[in-house]
Structures are given as structure tokens and as C-alpha cells.
Amino acid sequence: MDLDYNQIMSIGVYGSAIGLILIGLYAVLIKKHLTKIVIGLSIIDAGIHLLFIAIGYIKGGTAPIFSPAGEKIVANGGVMVDPVPQALVLTAIVIGFAVTAVALSLVIRLYRHHQTARIDQIKSLKW
Amino acid sequence: MKKLLVLLLLAVVGYSLITAMMGVKFGENRLGDPQDEKTVSAYYLNNTTQKLSVSNVITAIVVNYRGLDTLGEVSVLFLASLGLGSILYRKHKEGEEEVAILKPSSQLLQAGSKLIFPAILMLGAYVFIHGHLTPGGGFQGGAIIATGFLLMMMAYQDYRVSHSVLVWVESLAGITFAGIGMWGLLLGNTFLENFLPIGTLNNLFSGGIIPIIYIAVGFKVAAELTGVLDTLLNIKDKH
Amino acid sequence: MMFEAIVIIILAVILLAAAVYAVMQKDLLYAVIATGVISLILSVFFFIMQAPDVALTEAAIGIALTTIVFIITIRNTSRREDEVPMDHEPDRNENDN
């Protein structure tokens, strides 16, 4: 075990982000139940958010907030993490919720009409 | 066969993602020296405290530097709640009875939520009023307030949020946001340009228009998310 | 520093396990709770990586609101993933029992 701190962190964080993306993609492609597909989409969403935040992180940095404590750290030569990916992810999470809600309302509507939410049992084309 | 194809696709995607991330070292300082401002992040970190007098750089980016983006985002949220309502709309038929789907909730939940509800509202309001000083802001505060209303809706089945109040709150907040942006345009600056005194750093009344806009965003997000939850919880369906 | 790395590794294992459980579980209610667990751990990740704003958003929206929207959907549709539907032609005028 001669892994140093950076390698462990990159395996842990990047690995879980890429793993989440792949697992979500698997669910979207393989699963037949519509709710499961939306679950897969939200898992992909989570993985991409984690990847963004991980790219913006700087080792030993503090949160980009200039409170008195943060100012003291910067004055002593400390760094702050990249604020731009955080702002992007902040809005992406809210939009992700809106997209999930609309997708699930479509699922409810489909179920009402076809009495099933499995895409392999929806036979008729019109609704 | 299909599973095999999917696994092949996943392998390709995973391989390309991993090779792409190999070049991005974890925790590396990619901002460069903050003093020579080679990246846009370094510019933001250098200038927010002097030019805008806002402690939270993320708030400054979301509301000021990328303010137009945020306006677009709250409109996307509005469109989502509108679309949700129109997708789930259903004509009330003749002779149809509304059936209570849920069992009444326990007395413990009812009493407890009545106790916690004002505290949740106050936490949400605190989070978006102090958005320019501490972590938090309009989106987070709005979501917290929406969870408070969700708690009440789950505890009391006949708890209804008046839709006309939601519509008014949302419209007023949206008009405030757009109007403040337009006011900057009228004064001969750009859209969403700051026109108020910026005050001193780490005061509650600092940052010019940023706290006002974030409070408006907070109200708007809270109204929209509450509307979404109210629409979804009141689906009239057979069961 | 090393403590942080150990915490990250443990959380990453739980995160991936919850994701696999959420995809593989046939009972959708359990799967939805597992997505809630993913959001919770993700929020801890964001906090460790110095993004308190994002952690707060994820905690409020990912854990509470997304989970409840999924649960409402399951209440209005089917709960089991492999459920076979009722054996009659769906009819628009008649889906109210």
C-alpha cells in the first residue's frame, strides 16, 4: 500500500462519480419500468454534479466565502477553491429537480391511460 | 444480446471518462496565481470583495456576474411547474366522488409539525436573507420553505395552499427581479448593473442589489416548489 | 488529512452500493429510499470538498423534495417493477373503476 493521499482521493471521488454515471446509464438502457428509468436519470445527474465539484476542488483550499475567518486564511497565503463549478452545480441541482418532476408527471399520465408503467407492455401507439 | 451491447457501450463510455479524468489531477491548483488573473475564477475571487462588497463569491457569480442565467433558470422552474399542472390536469367527471387515499396521520406527527413549521419557515428566510454573507441563498432557502409546506401537507390532509396567493407571490418576485435588471438598463448601464450603494463587507446591508434579488429568488423558488408539491399531492385518481 | 481520505473511501463504497441497490431492487419504494441515501452521501462529499452552498442545496432538494416526488409517483402508479398489469384493454372512459 504505497498510495498517497492524492491518489486515494482521486480514486475515491472520481471513481464514485464515474461509477454513478455508468450505473445510471445502465438503468436507463436496460430497465423497462419508467420510474426506474427516471431513477437512473437522477443517478446520472448526481454523478455529473460530483464530477464538476471534484474538478473545482483545490487541495487545502477553503470555501470561497470571504467571512472574517476566510479572509484571515487568504491573508496567510491560503487558497480558495474554484467558485465557478459550484455556481454551475447549484443551478443544475434545482433544474434537475424540475426535470425529474416533469418526467414523473408524464409517467403518471402514461400509467393512467395504459394501466401500466412498463414500456414493453405499452402496445398502442396513440394516447 | 441487448445486455451485451449495453455493457460494451458502458465499457466504452467508462474507458473514455477514465482516460479523460487521468489528465485532471485531483486537488491541483488550476486557478493560477490569483494576482495575475489568468482565469475567470481568479478574477471573481479577486474582485468580488472590492467591487461588489459581497462575502459569498458563489452568490456574486449566481446573482451578479451570471444574473441573466439565473433569470433564465427561474423561468425554467416556472415553466416546469406550469407544465406539471397542465400534464396532470384532469376534468372532473359527473358523479365522481373524491376518495381519501391516505389514512389520517398520527396525532404525534400533527402536533409535531405544527410546532416545527414556523421554525422551518424562519430557517428558510434566514438562509435567503443572509445569502450574500453565509452559505445559502435564494434556491436553498426556497427549497427549505417548500419542505416546511410539504410537512404540513403530509400531516393535515385538508391543508391547502391557496393557489392565487402562490401565483401572486411568484409574479411579484419575478417582476422584482426583472424590474431591478431593467432599472440598471434605464440608468444607462447594463442589465442587472448595480445601482445601489454597496456598503461595507460582511454587513447585512451590503452588496447593493444582490440581497434584494436573492430574496426575490427565494420567494419565487418557494412558491414554485410548493405549487409543484401541491399539484402532485392532490392528484385525484382511482385507488 | 489521512482521516479525510479514509472517510471518503468508506463513503464512496456506501454510495456505489446504494446506487447498485437502487438499480437492482425490484420494489421501487426501496429503490427510491436508496436514491435518498445517494443524495445524503453526496451532500457530505460536497461539504468535504469545500462547497457548502451546493451541500445545502443537495440536502434540501435531493433528499427531501426529489424523494417525495418519487414516492407520490409510486403511489399513483405501480410499486413493483415486474408487475403484470390487469388483463383488460385500457379504455379512456372506463379507467375509474
Side-chain angles (χ1 to χ4, degrees):
Chain A
M1 287 296 279
D2 50 350
L3 290 170
D4 62 345
Y5 169 80
N6 261 13
Q7 276 168 319
I8 294 175
M9 288 291 273
S10 60
I11 289 172
V13 177
Y14 286 158
S16 47
I18 293 172
L20 281 181
I21 294 173
L22 293 182
I23 291 168
L25 205 55
Y26 175 83
V28 171
L29 292 173
I30 290 280
K31 292 293 168 177
K32 299 239 163 48
H33 199 279
L34 281 165
T35 313
K36 217 37 171 309
I37 292 176
V38 181
I39 288 176
L41 285 176
S42 74
I43 291 175
I44 295 181
D45 230 23
I48 290 172
H49 297 158
L50 184 56
L51 203 59
F52 262 57
I53 295 289
I55 289 173
Y57 179 68
I58 292 171
K59 193 184 169 192
T62 56
I65 295 167
F66 286 93
S67 57
E71 267 183 335
K72 205 181 282 172
I73 291 172
V74 172
N76 292 336
V79 286
M80 284 188 166
V81 300
D82 197 344
V84 175
Q86 298 193 12
L88 289 177
V89 172
L90 180 65
T91 52
I93 288 174
V94 182
I95 292 297
F97 170 71
V99 170
T100 308
V102 172
L104 287 176
S105 72
L106 282 172
V107 173
I108 294 174
R109 189 67 200 244
L110 267 174
Y111 183 84
R112 242 187 230 167
H113 189 67
H114 291 284
Q115 305 295 319
T116 177
R118 284 176 65 89
I119 45 176
D120 55 345
Q121 284 164 356
I122 297 176
K123 300 242 164 56
S124 57
L125 282 174
K126 78 169 190 187
W127 61 299
Chain B
M1 186 57 208
K2 188 189 164 198
K3 222 168 206 174
L4 209 68
L5 268 178
V6 167
L7 286 179
L8 199 69
L9 179 71
L10 288 186
V12 171
V13 171
Y15 177 74
S16 51
L17 272 175
I18 289 170
T19 41
M21 295 321 287
M22 284 289 194
V24 187
K25 263 200 195 135
F26 183 81
E28 194 188 22
N29 191 345
R30 276 178 284 273
L31 297 180
D33 190 13
Q35 298 313 317
D36 48 310
E37 288 182 8
K38 270 190 182 155
T39 56
V40 68
S41 311
Y43 175 83
Y44 292 156
L45 283 177
N46 264 353
N47 288 294
T48 16
T49 42
Q50 286 100 46
K51 289 195 177 157
L52 298 171
S53 163
V54 169
S55 319
N56 191 344
V57 182
I58 296 157
T59 299
I61 293 173
V62 167
V63 180
N64 197 291
Y65 294 115
R66 300 251 172 276
L68 199 59
D69 254 10
T70 307
L71 187 58
E73 196 206 345
V74 288
S75 359
V76 168
L77 258 184
F78 168 70
L79 281 177
S81 69
L82 194 73
L84 201 86
S86 52
I87 287 169
L88 291 176
Y89 174 75
R90 193 175 197 207
K91 249 189 231 162
H92 199 78
K93 282 181 195 155
E94 292 284 323
E96 195 178 33
E97 285 175 30
E98 289 183 16
V99 194
I101 300 168
L102 300 170
K103 286 183 210 150
S105 50
S106 71
Q107 193 142 27
L108 198 63
L109 180 61
Q110 292 190 350
S113 49
K114 211 180 243 173
L115 200 69
I116 300 175
F117 179 61
I120 294 179
L121 287 198
M122 206 170 76
L123 174 68
Y126 177 87
V127 165
F128 67 65
I129 288 171
H130 292 77
H132 55 301
L133 302 175
T134 54
F139 295 108
Q140 294 91 328
I144 290 171
I145 288 177
T147 50
F149 279 108
L150 172 70
L151 187 66
M152 287 304 270
M153 286 179 209
M154 283 185 353
Y156 299 92
Q157 279 179 47
D158 49 352
Y159 187 84
R160 288 283 175 280
V161 189
S162 162
H163 267 271
S164 56
V165 172
L166 285 185
V167 167
W168 272 102
V169 168
E170 195 191 347
S171 320
L172 282 179
I175 287 171
T176 312
F177 193 163
I180 287 175
M182 281 306 199
W183 192 254
L185 216 55
L186 284 181
L187 292 177
N189 302 318
T190 53
F191 189 71
L192 284 172
E193 179 86 39
N194 192 12
F195 56 84
L196 290 175
I198 60 169
T200 49
L201 191 66
N202 280 324
N203 269 4
L204 182 57
F205 295 101
S206 65
I209 60 169
I210 288 177
I212 303 172
I213 289 179
Y214 233 12
I215 288 169
V217 169
F219 275 111
K220 200 165 158 58
V221 170
E224 275 155 357
L225 294 184
T226 311
V228 166
L229 290 174
D230 193 49
T231 317
L232 278 170
L233 274 170
N234 290 317
I235 300 171
K236 308 227 169 31
D237 216 349
K238 51 136 203 148
H239 260 286
Chain C
M1 269 317 201
M2 218 55 207
F3 176 70
E4 210 173 56
I6 293 167
V7 169
I8 284 270
I9 289 294
I10 293 170
L11 286 180
V13 169
I14 301 173
L15 182 72
L16 290 177
V20 171
Y21 184 82
V23 171
M24 289 305 162
Q25 175 61 250
K26 296 282 185 209
D27 194 332
L28 289 171
L29 197 56
Y30 292 172
V32 167
I33 302 299
T35 54
V37 172
I38 294 175
S39 282
L40 180 65
I41 295 171
L42 219 57
S43 149
V44 177
F45 263 51
F46 292 150
F47 188 74
I48 290 176
M49 285 191 277
Q50 303 292 337
D53 287 78
V54 187
L56 202 54
T57 319
E58 184 73 40
I61 289 181
I63 300 170
L65 295 181
T66 310
T67 311
I68 205 72
V69 170
F70 272 112
I71 290 175
I72 293 167
T73 310
I74 290 170
R75 199 184 81 189
N76 284 291
T77 62
S78 58
R79 179 169 165 180
R80 301 275 314 172
E81 194 193 343
D82 45 4
E83 196 173 44
V84 182
M86 284 161 284
D87 195 23
H88 76 92
E89 194 66 25
D91 191 346
R92 209 189 180 87
N93 303 319
E94 210 183 68
N95 53 6
D96 276 309
N97 280 8

